[in-house]
Amino acid sequence: MTRQARRNLNVVMGLVAVIAFMVGLTFAAVPLYRIFCERTGFEGTPIRADVAGQRGKAIDRMVTVSFTGDVNQSMPWAFYPKQNKIEAKVGETYLAFFEAKNLSDKPITGTATFNVSPELWGPYFVKIECFCFTEQTLQPGESIEMPVTFYLDPALADDKLLNRMSDVTLSYTFFKAADQPSAQDAPAKVGSAEPASKPAVN
């Protein structure tokens, strides 16, 4: 091999390495971005607690926490909160439930995205345990109740922008997991629709 041919080969190998590195960054960007949001509350993402006892002492302030649930259009599930809202004392721990049902004739694995609104609440809405931390698999026609344990960080009392706010909404949207097959039509309309047997809410 001539000197020029070796140089050309080195250039090509260098370009291949750069492209492979960029592709790797692309795949890593989504999980890294999610981790960043969970740690900082960026864009209304609730904080994930490493230890339940990290919060400060409860304070005499009540906040109305509302819940919403939705599914991506390709996701053949029904998904909704079991309660519309909870009156939460800042600093105390609460448990809320959501229900999901697989409306298709195939096993489906889903993953949930989440956020709170207004976004200012993000750094103070702390989730201890949540179904959204892991993928969920439902068999055809299977229903499941999924809990989320959370609290509102008393540090929010020092945020002057929240002084006049007493309402926050926790929202989830379910998507098919990345390794799922192409979307199949569900036997019933899905989305934010709720089944006829939906339980009474607060």
Side-chain angles (χ1 to χ4, degrees):
M1 181 180 296
T2 67
R3 180 178 298 179
Q4 184 61 42
R6 286 197 297 270
R7 289 179 179 175
N8 292 341
L9 179 60
N10 289 337
V11 170
V12 171
M13 294 300 294
L15 290 175
V16 170
V18 169
I19 293 172
F21 177 72
M22 296 302 294
V23 171
L25 284 180
T26 299
F27 281 101
V30 173
L32 289 175
Y33 180 78
R34 180 167 180 169
I35 292 172
F36 168 76
C37 290
E38 289 179 356
R39 297 300 181 185
T40 64
F42 184 67
E43 290 193 344
T45 303
I47 299 293
R48 179 175 178 176
D50 293 322
V51 180
Q54 289 180 337
R55 61 187 177 279
K57 185 178 179 181
I59 61 175
D60 188 19
R61 179 171 173 178
M62 301 300 296
V63 174
T64 301
V65 181
S66 300
F67 306 92
T68 65
D70 201 357
V71 294
N72 180 264
Q73 62 181 1
S74 67
M75 185 70 164
W77 285 11
F79 174 63
Y80 59 91
K82 299 277 284 184
Q83 62 289 293
N84 284 338
K85 61 184 178 180
I86 289 176
E87 298 298 325
K89 185 175 182 179
V90 175
E92 293 189 356
T93 300
Y94 293 87
L95 179 65
F97 287 92
F98 286 73
E99 184 164 327
K101 182 176 182 178
N102 183 356
L103 302 178
S104 77
D105 59 357
K106 301 178 184 299
I108 299 291
T109 299
T111 182
T113 61
F114 48 87
N115 76 306
V116 298
S117 58
E119 292 182 4
L120 290 172
W121 289 94
Y124 308 107
F125 200 112
V126 185
K127 292 192 294 187
I128 301 171
E129 295 292 341
C130 181
F131 59 87
C132 58
F133 294 160
T134 59
E135 294 182 346
Q136 305 292 326
T137 300
L138 297 183
Q139 299 302 314
E142 182 183 6
S143 297
I144 187 174
E145 282 191 357
M146 299 178 291
V148 54
T149 306
F150 69 92
Y151 67 88
L152 298 170
D153 191 336
L156 65 84
D158 298 325
D159 192 329
K160 295 181 179 180
L161 295 176
L162 293 179
N163 283 347
R164 297 185 179 182
M165 296 185 185
S166 58
D167 296 89
V168 58
T169 299
L170 175 62
S171 303
Y172 291 94
T173 301
F174 256 103
F175 295 81
K176 278 189 176 183
D179 58 350
Q180 294 295 289
S182 58
Q184 299 292 330
D185 292 335
K189 184 178 179 182
V190 299
S192 58
E194 300 170 354
S197 59
K198 178 184 174 183
V201 295
N202 296 331

